[in-house]
């Protein structure tokens, strides 16, 4: 019998030749024999004992409203929720048997607390479906076991992270307890607690059974009229192009017939990329080996909670009277050639790779050292660039939806994501804010870039158990998109952030340059680790839940802007032109604000979904008709608009606009000039004095008022100047043709030298903008927030008769009153907050913070969060004024002051150039 302790000693003592980088493989790709039943931690799988039959288990229908491809967790959850929402002419196709591929061998852990409010809600729905709903509907037990969950902290930062989760959990009614080492020992007597700082115990976490869950889901779906067909591989996806050039799903081809359908859902897991290729859809995921071992019986382990020891990168899953031991390593094995014949097979376990998990497990539960290994389970899993799933409608083909790339979390996220995906298909958008999972979060230039997919997926896998710090940045696949200012800003000490592939300025390090280097895979695969890496060193200093060491540097950047003048490189912004015969109709329908003011005007506006939720906020500038002057102006005989959009969400915006244009049949052209122009923003009380020396234009309030734009000359180069501010100061944005960027920047810096002009980054913008009360899309403004709830009613043309998408929902909400709304909070104590902290009114939890930062001008922590009335009533101004508010940060409460308006410049004088 093999023992865990001896396995470690055996591997450590062996002498092994180095393996080639990035493609470490075992002696065979996968076992030639089907896996024995005892090799996985479940009483049954859905595999037939006598092998796969030759044909489909049911006749194929001629047509279906939706065809779900893949019978794993996501496929089964999606068809269940589609049927439950009333769409019953739906078909699930599985090439082998249900759970084949990856789902059948998953560990099936469910942890309720995550550092994301949306994920907490998704997990809660999964838990409800498998522990209650399915059993009530079918009378069948899914195999759910509520044995609790225990997160291990070996240091203060880790325990701080757990305390953040505990505070968020209070908002959602999730019971959790921070335990001392002694209390942990009482709960889990076999655990070594000598090196513990503390633990987080969540009593109602538990374990799912993939076979039981998928069986019950498909039975419930079938009872509602859905059709589930096994042994039916998909061989092709037919796509048609309509009269407007739009590609749409037409049919699904199999060896046993073709199903006509307008909608396909790709739930094919590791095989999702191959399925995408059939329709011309890019699916940016990669397959890796992921393993655990199952121990022999351990005396005293029964009824213990599942354990996640993040610092050892290991989990311990209760398996009756044994444990399953697994984790995430820094040198995972890539599955280079994904085989279609792989169904219920497994890889041989590579002990070189897996040993680190055994060591961590033995340290945590010493009894494991003398415990035998019953079986090893090493199967394929799909992983993505940010360790988040790929969901939503593919940009390339209408009607082709993704539900894949779940990074080993397909079981626990399956219920919540299955419901959202069903809602997406039926209603066009999900109910929750699913942007973090939406395929449109990635720029189209990245989704078929194999270096980016491989490097980022590796880093995300390797860091899966790392503490989630607020200001972390990836090291993998950097410098993919660089603007014209990149080199000169690097030389001036810029510490860059990565957004949408772009390098954008974060803050400016005063000591020396900190360039981003090529990815070193953290020294794995015999790749030489980067040394003397200043950028990584500065990033490491960010790994804190306190103020970072460079807090004062960001303060200096902010106060220079408030009191003098600062330059912000915002070139990563999306820059689109909307033109064509129906451009005015499209603008009226797309934008909440009336953007059809006189040419030369610029308007801040939102774009909504059909439910009234904010899909975007942006500025729209109405242009003069005329001949082309690209990239500064498109050719237009009629209406033309210039759209400037936050660069991190540009792909999402592009696809939202394009989808609306297609759905409404507007005859328009949307063109992207994001790469052809740079953009710098010069902000502060002295910005006019600086720019008056550079721009050949009158910058007075009368000649160049706020929210206006002109094409002017700057240092002899044509630019589009816009008088706007995202920081609450007098200022202008300069949108500059790429080749003119550096000469214009140099002229601005030269003119500003006598005014002590400085470069500033997005860390300063974050602070300055929240201080002013400006929203950040996907932070305090999301697709599940309406403009009325977000305090942006002024962006909506409700007093006009002009229809726009989502208007009916806003009118209804305005009539009924707001049941939730955003509120500004400040606290007097000098403590940082980052979002997710719980909000209490008179001691009752009523919401959580979405966004928080330090306001250096008001010298306070300032935060925004959405609150509800506990009795379900309207959240009125009196409700806010009459309450006593506290904010809970890591289990500690702080008195907070609620504001209906930002305490900084509430009369909005500074953007108008009024400095008393």
């Amino acid at each position: 019998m093999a023992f865990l302790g001896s396995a470690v000693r055996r591997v450590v003592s062996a002498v092994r030749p180095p393996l080639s980088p990035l493609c470490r493989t075992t002696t065979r790709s996968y076992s030639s024999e089907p896996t024995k039943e005892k090799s996985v931690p479940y009483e049954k799988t859905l595999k037939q004992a006598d092998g796969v039959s030759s044909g489909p288990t049911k006749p194929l229908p001629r047509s279906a409203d939706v065809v779900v491809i893949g019978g794993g967790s996501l496929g089964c959850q999606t068809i269940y929720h589609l049927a439950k929402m009333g769409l019953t002419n739906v078909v699930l196709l599985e090439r082998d048997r249900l759970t084949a591929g990856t789902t059948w061998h998953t560990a099936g852990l469910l942890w309720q607390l995550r550092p994301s409010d949306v994920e907490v809600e998704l997990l809660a729905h999964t838990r409800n479906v498998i522990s209650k709903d399915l059993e009530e509907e079918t009378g069948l037990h899914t195999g759910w076991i509520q044995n609790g969950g225990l997160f291990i902290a070996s240091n203060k930062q880790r325990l701080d992270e757990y305390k953040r989760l505990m505070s968020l959990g209070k908002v959602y009614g999730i019971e959790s307890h921070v335990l001392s080492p002694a209390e942990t020992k009482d709960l889990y007597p076999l655990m070594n607690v000598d090196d513990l700082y503390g633990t987080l115990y969540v009593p109602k976490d538990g374990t799912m059974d993939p076979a039981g869950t998928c069986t019950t889901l498909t039975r419930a779906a079938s009872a509602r009229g859905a059709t589930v067909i096994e042994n039916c591989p998909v061989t092709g996806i037919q796509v048609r192009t309509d009269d407007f050039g739009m590609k749409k799903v037409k049919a699904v081809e199999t060896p046993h017939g073709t199903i006509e359908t307008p909608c396909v859902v790709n739930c094919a897991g590791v095989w999702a990329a191959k399925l995408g290729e059939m329709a011309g859809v890019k699916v940016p995921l990669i397959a890796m080996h992921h393993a655990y071992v199952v121990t022999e019986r351990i005396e005293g382990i029964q009824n213990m909670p599942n354990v996640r020891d993040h610092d050892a990168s290991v989990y311990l899953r209760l398996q009756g009277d044994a444990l399953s031991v697994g984790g995430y390593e820094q040198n995972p094995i890539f599955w280079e050639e994904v085989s279609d014949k792989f169904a219920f097979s497994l890889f041989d376990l590579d002990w070189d790779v897996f040993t680190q998990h055994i060591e961590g497990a033995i340290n945590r539960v010493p009894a494991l050292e003398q415990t035998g290994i019953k079986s090893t389970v090493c199967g394929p899993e799909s992983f993505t660039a940010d360790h988040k799933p790929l969901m939503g409608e593919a940009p390339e083909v209408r009607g082709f939806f993704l539900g894949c790339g779940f990074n080993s979390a397909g079981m626990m996220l399956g219920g919540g994501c299955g419901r959202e995906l069903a809602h997406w298909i039926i209603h066009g958008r999900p109910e929750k804010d699913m942007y973090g999972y939406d395929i449109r979060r990635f720029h189209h230039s990245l989704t078929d870039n194999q270096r980016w997919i491989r490097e980022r997926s590796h880093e995300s896998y390797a860091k899966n158990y790392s503490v989630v710090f607020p200001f972390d940045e990836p090291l993998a696949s950097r410098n993919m998109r660089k603007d014209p200012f990149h080199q000169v800003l690097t030389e001036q000490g810029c510490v860059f952030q990565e957004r949408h592939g772009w390098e954008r300025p974060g803050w400016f390090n005063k000591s020396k340059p900190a360039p981003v280097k090529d990815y070193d895979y953290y020294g794995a695969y015999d790749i030489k680790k980067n040394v003397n890496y200043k950028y990584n060193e500065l990033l490491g200093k960010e790994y804190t839940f306190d103020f970072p060491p460079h807090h004062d540097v960001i303060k200096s950047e902010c106060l220079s802007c408030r009191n003098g003048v600062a330059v912000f490189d915002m070139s990563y912004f999306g820059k689109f032109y909307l033109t064509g015969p129906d451009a005015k109709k499209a603008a009226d329908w797309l934008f909440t604000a009336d953007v059809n003011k006189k040419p030369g005007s610029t308007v801040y506006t939102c774009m909504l979904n059909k439910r009234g939720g904010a899909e975007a906020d942006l500025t729209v500038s109405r242009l003069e008709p005329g001949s082309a002057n690209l990239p500064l102006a498109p050719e237009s005989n009629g209406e033309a608009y210039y759209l400037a959009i936050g660069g991190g969400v540009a792909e999402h915006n592009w696809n939202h606009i394009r989808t609306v244009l297609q759905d409404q049949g507007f005859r328009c052209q949307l063109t992207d000039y994001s790469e052809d122009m740079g953009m710098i923003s010069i902000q502060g009380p002295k910005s006019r004095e600086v720019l008056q020396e550079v721009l050949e234009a009158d910058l007075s309030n009368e000649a160049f008022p706020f929210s206006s734009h002109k094409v002017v000359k700057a240092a002899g180069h044509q630019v589009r100047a816009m008088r706007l501010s995202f920081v609450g100061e007098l200022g202008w944005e300069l949108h500059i043709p790429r080749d003119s960027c550096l000469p214009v920047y140099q002229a601005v810096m030269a003119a500003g030298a006598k005014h002590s002009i400085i470069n500033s980054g997005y860390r300063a913008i974050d602070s300055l903008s929240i201080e002013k009360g400006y929203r950040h899309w996907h932070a305090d403004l999301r697709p599940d927030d309406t403009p009325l709830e977000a305090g942006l009613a002024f962006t909506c043309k409700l007093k006009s008769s002009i229809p726009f998408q989502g208007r009916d929902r806003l009118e209804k909400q305005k009539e009924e009153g707001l049941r939730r709304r955003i509120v500004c909070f400040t606290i007097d104590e000098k403590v940082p907050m980052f979002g997710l902290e719980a909000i209490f009114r008179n001691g009752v939890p009523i919401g959580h913070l979405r966004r928080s930062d330090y306001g250096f001008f008001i010298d306070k922590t300032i935060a925004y969060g959405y609150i509800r009335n506990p009795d379900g009533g309207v959240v009125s101004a009196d409700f806010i004024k009459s309450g006593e508010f506290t904010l809970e940060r890591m289990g500690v409460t702080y008195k907070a002051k609620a504001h209906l308006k930002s305490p900084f410049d509430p009369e909005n004088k500074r953007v108008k150039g009024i400095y008393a």
Side-chain angles (χ1 to χ4, degrees):
M1 180 187 294
F3 291 93
L4 267 71
S6 61
V8 172
R9 289 189 290 275
R10 182 176 69 246
V11 173
V12 169
S13 63
V15 178
R16 300 176 299 276
L19 294 163
S20 60
L22 310 191
C23 53
R24 257 175 123 163
T25 57
T26 51
T27 53
R28 53 181 176 166
S29 299
Y30 55 92
S31 70
S32 57
E33 297 297 321
T35 304
K36 299 292 190 293
E37 298 289 342
K38 74 180 184 71
S39 296
V40 292
Y42 311 106
E43 293 181 5
K44 60 178 180 176
T45 69
L46 296 180
K47 177 177 64 63
Q48 287 182 323
D50 57 352
V52 175
S53 61
S54 58
T57 53
K58 290 177 185 172
L60 270 65
R62 292 174 62 97
S63 64
D65 293 329
V66 181
V67 175
V68 178
I69 303 172
S73 171
L74 254 293
C76 294
Q77 289 278 10
T78 301
I79 199 166
Y80 164 75
H81 282 93
L82 284 168
K84 196 168 185 178
M85 291 180 190
L87 199 62
T88 56
N89 183 24
V90 291
V91 176
L92 184 149
L93 298 179
E94 164 54 48
R95 65 184 173 88
D96 199 279
R97 309 295 292 178
L98 294 181
T99 75
T102 58
T103 295
W104 72 279
H105 59 70
T106 186
L109 299 163
L110 191 148
W111 319 96
Q112 293 178 90
L113 292 177
R114 303 267 278 207
S116 157
D117 59 328
V118 175
E119 289 190 355
V120 168
E121 293 171 11
L122 295 172
L123 292 164
H125 183 68
T126 300
R127 191 182 177 283
N128 285 338
V129 168
I130 60 163
S131 67
K132 182 172 70 73
D133 295 354
L134 283 172
E135 193 161 348
E136 290 175 359
E137 291 176 36
T138 66
L140 298 173
H141 183 51
T142 63
W144 166 251
I145 299 170
Q146 184 179 295
N147 59 311
L150 192 62
F151 284 2
I152 306 299
S154 303
N155 54 67
K156 180 182 182 298
Q157 287 179 333
R158 183 68 76 178
L159 195 62
D160 284 346
E161 181 184 38
Y162 295 162
K163 288 176 180 178
R164 274 171 58 77
L165 297 181
M166 179 185 67
S167 292
L168 178 62
K170 290 179 182 179
V171 178
Y172 288 99
I174 297 172
E175 180 187 358
S176 66
H177 310 274
V178 172
L179 305 182
S180 68
E183 290 169 325
T184 304
K185 186 74 172 178
D186 290 341
L187 176 68
Y188 203 122
L190 292 181
M191 184 172 288
N192 166 34
V193 299
D194 293 345
D195 58 347
L196 289 196
Y197 209 85
T199 58
L200 179 68
Y201 175 51
V202 186
K204 294 181 181 177
D205 284 355
T207 315
M208 297 173 286
D209 170 26
T213 300
C214 290
T215 300
T216 315
L217 285 165
T218 52
R219 286 198 187 179
S222 298
R224 286 189 163 90
T227 303
V228 177
I229 304 174
E230 298 172 271
N231 300 336
C232 189
V234 171
T235 55
I237 308 287
Q238 292 181 15
V239 175
R240 65 182 177 88
T241 303
D242 69 10
D243 295 339
F244 296 97
M246 192 191 329
K247 291 184 176 179
K248 296 181 176 180
V249 168
K250 181 184 178 187
V252 174
E253 299 173 348
T254 80
H256 311 288
T258 297
I259 305 174
E260 300 282 338
T261 183
C263 181
V264 161
V265 191
N266 183 351
C267 297
V270 164
W271 295 267
K274 286 191 173 185
L275 190 67
E277 287 174 10
M278 296 178 186
V281 170
K282 297 180 288 187
V283 183
L285 54 75
I286 198 164
M288 299 184 199
H289 294 203
H290 192 57
Y292 58 85
V293 300
V294 183
T295 73
E296 298 287 357
R297 184 177 185 278
I298 304 170
E299 185 62 41
I301 205 70
Q302 295 88 341
N303 302 317
M304 290 296 103
N306 299 320
V307 174
R308 237 182 174 180
D309 189 341
H310 290 95
D311 295 312
S313 198
V314 67
Y315 66 78
L316 308 172
R317 174 200 184 276
L318 185 67
Q319 172 71 34
D321 58 2
L323 289 176
S324 298
V325 179
Y328 292 82
E329 57 280 345
Q330 291 204 344
N331 56 336
I333 300 170
F334 293 95
W335 192 16
E336 302 293 349
E337 296 182 10
V338 176
S339 168
D340 290 338
K341 297 177 182 178
F342 206 100
F344 289 95
S345 303
L346 292 171
F347 304 111
D348 289 332
L349 182 67
D350 188 323
W351 285 100
D352 295 357
V353 174
F354 194 78
T355 298
Q356 56 196 287
H357 306 314
I358 298 294
E359 293 170 333
I362 290 173
N363 175 61
R364 191 54 55 224
V365 180
L368 287 173
E369 185 165 18
Q370 297 303 316
T371 300
I373 299 172
K374 183 161 63 176
S375 58
T376 66
V377 178
C378 181
E381 292 280 2
S382 57
F383 295 92
T384 64
D386 56 3
H387 218 75
K388 302 290 184 188
L390 306 176
M391 293 180 63
E393 192 172 30
E396 300 93 342
V397 179
R398 298 296 302 273
F400 191 101
F401 285 81
L402 301 178
C404 52
F406 273 78
N407 305 276
S408 295
M411 282 298 296
M412 68 176 174
L413 288 172
C417 288
R419 180 175 67 173
E420 293 305 307
L421 198 47
H423 203 277
W424 219 322
I425 292 161
I426 295 170
H427 300 290
R429 293 298 292 146
E431 280 194 297
K432 299 189 188 305
D433 166 35
M434 298 298 288
Y435 175 74
Y437 291 6
D438 193 334
I439 183 63
R440 300 179 300 174
R441 71 190 183 272
F442 297 133
H443 191 257
H444 63 86
S445 67
L446 302 175
T447 50
D448 61 352
N449 184 308
Q450 292 306 307
R451 174 198 155 200
W452 175 80
I453 295 168
R454 192 181 191 90
E455 289 187 1
R456 288 289 295 272
S457 297
H458 170 269
E459 183 177 35
S460 295
Y461 182 102
K463 291 179 68 174
N464 184 40
Y465 277 6
S466 299
V467 177
V468 180
F469 289 108
F471 301 114
D472 198 11
E473 293 292 329
L475 295 175
S477 283
R478 295 293 295 268
N479 297 318
M480 302 295 284
R481 303 173 77 194
K482 295 187 287 190
D483 67 46
F485 307 104
H486 182 267
Q487 184 59 37
V488 69
L489 296 184
T490 299
E491 292 166 0
Q492 295 180 68
C494 184
V495 180
F496 285 94
Q497 302 172 330
E498 187 275 340
R499 297 293 184 274
H500 225 43
W502 284 108
E503 297 294 315
R504 77 171 192 185
W507 56 283
F508 285 80
N509 174 47
K510 294 181 179 178
S511 59
K512 66 176 184 178
V516 180
K517 299 184 179 183
D518 287 344
Y519 186 49
D520 62 3
Y521 284 85
Y522 293 92
Y525 314 114
D526 301 313
I527 293 174
K528 188 177 179 182
K529 199 167 184 178
N530 287 321
V531 294
N532 301 319
Y533 195 178
K534 182 66 176 177
Y535 181 84
N536 196 18
E537 177 189 324
L538 292 170
L539 201 60
K541 292 177 181 178
E542 292 268 28
Y543 292 167
T544 176
F545 290 109
D546 205 338
F547 293 117
H550 47 268
H551 187 62
D552 287 342
V553 177
I554 298 169
K555 175 181 179 178
S556 174
E557 291 183 19
C558 290
L559 294 183
S560 291
C561 178
R562 289 278 184 248
N563 299 320
V565 61
V567 178
F568 300 90
D569 172 18
M570 302 173 73
S571 299
Y572 90 123
F573 257 51
K575 310 169 195 78
F576 307 153
Y577 290 115
L578 178 65
T579 57
D582 291 339
K584 182 181 184 301
K585 286 183 186 176
D588 283 341
W589 182 251
L590 276 164
F591 307 123
T592 56
D594 183 2
V595 299
N596 283 300
K597 303 184 184 302
K598 65 181 181 180
S601 63
T602 298
V603 177
Y604 172 68
T605 182
C606 295
M607 292 191 289
L608 308 184
N609 53 45
K610 293 173 184 175
R611 297 172 61 240
E615 290 289 336
D617 69 331
L618 66 159
T619 59
V620 178
S621 300
R622 189 175 173 203
L623 306 179
E624 293 274 5
S627 57
N629 178 22
L630 292 172
L632 289 174
E635 181 176 357
S636 172
N637 298 321
E639 303 301 332
Y641 306 89
Y642 176 48
L643 283 50
I645 294 161
V649 295
E651 185 77 16
H652 172 85
N653 279 246
W654 172 272
N655 284 286
H656 172 76
I657 296 167
R658 194 182 63 164
T659 297
V660 172
L661 296 180
Q662 291 171 350
D663 289 347
Q664 297 297 319
F666 291 131
R667 295 168 299 156
C668 294
Q669 290 79 48
L670 185 66
T671 50
D672 185 354
Y673 282 86
S674 303
E675 308 272 357
D676 300 280
M677 285 187 282
M679 195 247 278
I680 55 174
S681 183
I682 300 90
Q683 300 286 327
K686 297 179 182 177
S687 60
R688 181 183 275 134
E689 295 173 58
V690 172
L691 288 175
Q692 196 64 78
E693 291 187 32
V694 179
L695 302 183
E696 297 177 20
D698 181 353
L699 301 183
S700 66
N701 285 336
E702 296 74 24
F704 210 139
F706 184 69
S707 286
S708 65
H709 65 93
K710 296 177 182 179
V711 174
V712 299
K713 281 203 169 179
H717 298 262
Q718 278 199 323
V719 305
R720 185 175 297 281
M722 295 187 176
R723 187 169 165 194
L724 295 170
S725 179
F726 195 51
V727 296
E729 297 295 334
L730 172 69
W732 280 260
E733 294 175 358
L734 303 183
H735 298 241
I736 314 167
R738 192 174 187 93
D739 292 343
S740 300
C741 283
L742 283 178
V744 172
Y745 169 79
Q746 289 159 354
V748 168
M749 297 306 284
K754 59 179 171 286
H755 300 287
S756 302
I757 195 170
I758 66 162
N759 291 300
S760 291
Y762 268 83
R763 292 290 287 278
I765 288 179
D766 290 343
S767 168
L768 294 163
S769 64
I770 197 172
E771 193 171 51
K772 175 58 183 159
Y774 292 155
R775 306 287 177 258
H776 273 197
W777 193 83
H778 201 236
D780 40 18
L781 179 65
R782 306 192 311 201
D784 52 346
D785 307 319
T786 72
L788 305 188
E789 294 167 340
L792 298 177
F794 69 91
T795 67
C796 301
K797 50 188 178 240
L798 291 174
K799 292 180 180 177
S800 77
S801 59
I802 303 169
F804 58 90
Q805 180 157 281
R807 177 174 179 142
D808 56 332
R809 295 300 185 98
L810 299 192
E811 288 175 334
K812 185 179 179 188
Q813 189 176 58
K814 185 178 180 182
E815 182 183 336
E816 294 176 350
L818 298 178
R819 296 299 197 271
R820 61 194 285 275
R821 64 187 290 181
I822 200 166
V823 176
C824 173
F825 297 97
T826 54
I827 58 171
D828 291 332
E829 286 91 343
K830 295 278 195 301
V831 293
M833 293 189 180
F834 307 104
L836 300 183
E837 291 82 3
I839 304 169
F840 293 82
R841 180 184 181 273
N842 300 342
V844 178
I846 57 167
H848 65 274
L849 297 183
R850 287 278 193 84
R851 181 177 165 222
S852 183
D853 214 314
Y854 200 81
F856 292 100
F857 192 84
I858 64 172
D859 200 23
K860 292 178 188 291
T861 290
I862 185 166
Y864 283 83
Y866 287 80
I867 66 170
R868 293 181 181 275
N869 190 328
D871 66 11
V874 171
V875 181
S876 64
D878 287 341
F879 176 84
I880 296 167
K881 291 175 184 175
S882 62
E884 290 190 5
F885 291 91
T886 55
L887 304 178
E888 181 176 309
R889 172 190 184 269
M890 301 178 189
V892 179
T893 57
Y894 298 88
K895 285 187 177 180
K897 183 176 181 181
H899 306 264
L900 296 175
K901 277 188 173 182
S902 168
F904 172 80
D905 190 24
E907 295 178 3
N908 217 31
K909 290 181 177 179
R910 297 170 76 101
V911 295
K912 299 170 186 171
I914 303 170
Y915 291 92

